[in-house]
Amino acid sequence: MENWKRAVIAGSVGAAAMLLMKGKRPAAVLVGGVGLAVLASEYPNQFWTDSRRAAFVCAAGTQFLELAMRIGGKIEELAEKRAARAFEELGEY
């Protein structure tokens, strides 16, 4: 890899980190994307393989989050029913 490409990648990663710490997310994503594009131009085959793998991981993560949300909804329902029963029992005294 040429030195100027290394400098662009390192500079964009550093700038993106600084922008994230300052709370400027859109700018950080843009600057980080520049570094990622330069890296992808240097290793296109590896980047394509990794992007396919990343898509699979994202899909699995989405399924996990959906399951967690359903479980959380069930827990919330049970807690509401239990609180309602406890309130009714309190009203009997």
Side-chain angles (χ1 to χ4, degrees), residues 25-53:
R25 268 180 91 175
V29 170
L30 180 67
V31 172
V34 170
L36 191 60
V38 172
L39 187 62
S41 71
E42 185 67 25
Y43 304 107
N45 293 336
Q46 184 66 31
F47 186 80
W48 179 251
T49 304
D50 289 344
S51 66
R52 288 174 139 180
R53 209 173 293 142

Side-chain angles (χ1 to χ4, degrees), residues 52-73:
R52 288 174 139 180
R53 209 173 293 142
F56 174 74
V57 169
C58 286
T62 302
Q63 289 176 349
F64 176 75
L65 286 176
E66 287 176 6
L67 177 65
M69 288 176 60
R70 279 189 279 164
I71 290 171

Side-chain angles (χ1 to χ4, degrees), residues 84-93:
R85 272 189 260 140
F87 187 69
E88 287 175 2
E89 287 179 10
L90 248 157
E92 293 176 2
Y93 291 109

